[in-house]
Amino acid sequence: MTDPFAPGFIERPYWWDAAPPTIDSAPPLPEEIAVAIIGGGIAGLSTALELGRNGVKSLVLDREMIGWGASSRNGGALAGAGSLGKVRADLDKVLGKQFLHELSEESEGAFESFEALVAREGLDCDYVRSGRFVGAHAPKAMDALKRRADFINAAAGEQAFILPRERVAEEIATDRFFGGMVLHRAGSLHPAKYVRSLGQAAERNGAILAGGTEVRGYKRLPDGSFLVDTSRGAVRAHHVMAATNGYTGKATPWQRRRLIPVASYMIATEELGEERVRKALPKLRVYGDTKKVLYYFRPSPDYRRILFGGRASFVDADTKRSGAKLHRFLTDLIPELEGVRITHSWKGNVAFAFDMMPHVGVEDGMHDAMARNGDGVTTLTHLATVAARMILGGSNKASAYSRIPFETRPPYSGHPGFMPFIGTAYQLRDRMDGWRLRDRKH
Ligand SMILES: Cc1cc2nc3c(=O)[nH]c(=O)nc-3n(C[C@H](O)[C@H](O)[C@H](O)COP(=O)(O)OP(=O)(O)OC[C@H]3O[C@@H](n4cnc5c(N)ncnc54)[C@H](O)[C@@H]3O)c2cc1C
């Protein structure tokens, strides 16, 4: 087997070559602020942007650099309601048809709002409405894809169509798929550029961005405001929001008990040139498959490389090992890429809630928007806006997502090693059966 690593191989996100997160802003902390936001990713920065547009000043605190987390490491593949249908096939029975309809309508709206946001703020993020192809990894997966296509078309009009096996070659140079689904309302972006330009837009609207500032905890003051304890001093805030997703830690124990952090891994190939990339992925879309532990992949924004991701390991693996493994998966899926080497390998954390759904809400005064993986970019951009409106004092119509209870499973305390992942997350989906839509109280 050839060495999968190209000369100059680096264990760092490919995206950081063009848009590395930097602590270019570690300003003195104010003594008092209207809203303190913990976490400087898509969720935190989108909240800050929406607050700023409404004249409310916020302070975004990240213990690393602003944009350092999953937001600058992800695959940059975007879709609307499509991923909701993936949570489980019988969502309509679990949630009720009416509520599921509200959720899928809101998800579709979130995708359109995302596109409107990019245009309105002039976000420099290489966004294209590329469409998405999902390959069926087994014959029986075609049934699930057909159900998903029906679900999407019911929510969003004729956006999804099924491709039989003999037409898969129009989409991808593999014989591994037994057919697939094409989704029109889907796109791709450069995630590190997106989070960087979101930060710039938030700053233009008055937000203070403080990288290199860890939040260690907080306490509630008698007047209902908060004293936020940071590594660079205390700040009094009238509202606090946790936007820490897969990196949620001890500072916000309530949220931590509700999230299972999981690493996801990616690689970038060396430059292949657009012609070779088009040979492998003729329509230059974003791609996924139907496996539970799925692959996701896409061309780079300049169409010269292929970026490929998946859960290469269920334990926290080093990115050289995960890189070699993902390289094997890629060349196995698209044999045409045999001999191609990789230049970058990296990982980042996503977070699952026990019900596999995204969550937004407020608990004991602490706001949050978190728990989404495969479509976190659009979902969290949207839920952050919902969180900002909740902080601002409500909006005309409450988000359907804010009505989903954000539950934990005692005695889970936030250590995923406590319960092996495979035995939990996928099986725990079934426990949604006991759901009752209600306020998030325990
Ligand atoms: C490899 C990978 C591929 C992915 N692919 C896709 C994709 O193709 N499409 C898609 O839509 N989504 C994808 N996702 C998911 C998406 O990236 C996430 O859902 C989204 O970026 C989460 O944004 P966030 O702002 O909530 O969290 P993050 O961007 O992870 O930011 C959380 C921040 O909180 C900070 N923090 C934590 N604790 C503290 C503290 N105590 N004090 C201060 N700061 C703190 C961290 O330093 C971190 O920067 C992928 C994720 C990964 C990792």
Side-chain angles (χ1 to χ4, degrees):
M1 199 189 81
T2 49
D3 179 3
F5 303 108
F9 165 81
I10 184 168
E11 293 175 69
R12 201 182 71 158
Y14 164 73
W15 307 116
W16 291 12
D17 288 5
T22 48
I23 308 183
D24 50 6
S25 107
L29 299 184
E31 280 178 18
E32 189 171 340
I33 193 82
V35 185
I37 298 170
I38 315 169
I42 293 167
L45 297 170
S46 305
T47 306
L49 172 57
E50 184 65 14
L51 289 171
R53 277 164 37 83
N54 286 278
V56 172
K57 192 123 180 133
S58 65
L59 169 67
V60 181
L61 302 145
D62 201 298
R63 73 166 160 240
E64 308 287 341
M65 295 164 282
I66 295 292
W68 169 90
S71 296
S72 64
R73 298 159 186 260
N74 61 69
L78 318 173
S83 53
L84 254 187
K86 210 167 59 183
V87 174
R88 52 184 287 169
D90 58 345
L91 258 187
D92 58 339
K93 291 197 188 75
V94 179
L95 298 177
K97 278 202 166 48
Q98 175 55 29
F99 187 62
L100 181 60
H101 177 71
E102 279 178 51
L103 284 178
S104 49
E105 244 193 354
E106 189 172 332
S107 299
E108 280 306 310
F111 184 71
E112 306 218 325
S113 308
F114 158 81
E115 289 189 326
L117 168 78
V118 170
R120 185 191 76 216
E121 298 294 334
L123 302 181
D124 166 23
C125 62
D126 300 334
Y127 174 65
V128 237
R129 205 189 250 226
S130 56
R132 178 183 183 86
F133 175 76
V134 182
H137 75 286
K140 71 172 193 241
M142 283 301 281
D143 295 337
L145 274 185
K146 281 176 194 149
R147 278 197 305 272
R148 243 169 96 189
D150 290 344
F151 174 84
I152 293 162
N153 289 335
E158 295 299 305
Q159 291 294 329
F161 67 89
I162 293 294
L163 221 56
R165 188 172 195 178
E166 58 277 11
R167 287 187 59 196
V168 167
E170 293 170 23
E171 296 288 337
I172 174 171
T174 186
D175 60 5
R176 298 272 158 163
F177 292 144
F178 293 82
M181 174 180 73
V182 174
L183 254 177
H184 286 301
R185 205 197 299 260
S188 68
L189 53 60
H190 188 302
K193 288 189 182 175
Y194 178 58
V195 70
R196 181 177 69 182
S197 45
L198 263 183
Q200 289 162 348
E203 268 186 321
R204 277 199 305 277
N205 283 274
I208 306 171
L209 310 189
T213 313
E214 178 172 12
V215 173
R216 295 170 171 157
Y218 63 92
K219 73 172 180 212
R220 202 85 194 261
L221 299 173
D223 66 357
S225 66
F226 294 81
L227 197 63
V228 181
D229 175 29
T230 87
S231 52
R232 292 172 58 225
V235 179
R236 184 166 163 243
H238 297 277
H239 301 272
V240 184
M241 170 172 177
T244 45
N245 204 42
Y247 298 93
T248 302
K250 288 186 194 143
T252 54
W254 191 88
Q255 281 75 16
R256 190 184 188 206
R257 282 201 305 277
R258 283 156 178 79
L259 293 171
I260 307 165
V262 180
S264 193
Y265 300 80
M266 286 198 78
I267 51 172
T269 67
E270 60 194 332
E271 286 212 6
L272 311 174
E274 185 172 335
E275 201 179 316
R276 193 153 180 210
V277 170
R278 277 186 187 273
K279 224 167 149 192
L281 308 172
K283 303 252 175 85
L284 304 174
R285 301 190 194 277
V286 294
Y287 303 80
D289 66 25
T290 48
K291 296 198 306 306
K292 280 213 170 17
V293 183
L294 50 73
Y295 299 152
Y296 51 92
F297 46 103
R298 55 168 288 178
S300 56
D302 63 7
Y303 304 134
R304 292 196 191 133
R305 302 166 185 257
I306 291 175
L307 311 179
F308 186 87
R311 201 144 304 123
S313 170
F314 281 103
V315 291
D316 202 21
D318 83 68
T319 46
K320 190 153 188 196
R321 263 212 326 266
S322 62
K325 204 161 171 183
L326 287 177
H327 175 266
R328 251 192 341 269
F329 293 163
L330 171 64
T331 50
D332 186 49
L333 180 68
I334 308 177
E336 136 85 29
L337 297 175
E338 187 61 50
V340 162
R341 294 169 302 178
I342 61 172
T343 51
H344 298 70
S345 176
W346 70 99
K347 66 181 169 185
N349 279 4
V350 297
F352 290 90
F354 284 94
D355 58 15
M356 310 296 279
M357 297 293 279
H359 290 273
V360 61
V362 55
E363 181 65 25
D364 202 16
M366 167 70 74
H367 291 262
D368 57 56
M370 42 186 46
R372 198 56 188 172
N373 37 81
D375 64 354
V377 175
T378 43
T379 303
L380 286 167
T381 302
H382 166 64
L383 293 185
T385 310
V386 170
R389 291 189 188 140
M390 290 172 83
I391 293 168
L392 290 165
S395 62
N396 294 341
K397 191 177 172 219
S399 160
Y401 285 99
S402 69
R403 293 174 55 208
I404 302 175
F406 196 1
E407 294 186 333
T408 185
R409 299 281 175 235
Y412 182 67
S413 62
H415 294 282
F418 188 73
M419 26 163 52
F421 177 73
I422 300 177
T424 56
Y426 292 119
Q427 292 169 354
L428 281 162
R429 290 192 291 189
D430 300 335
R431 299 198 184 168
M432 283 200 300
D433 291 339
W435 269 15
R436 296 284 174 276
L437 300 177
R438 58 182 164 78
D439 292 340
R440 303 193 317 167
K441 286 267 151 45
H442 286 268

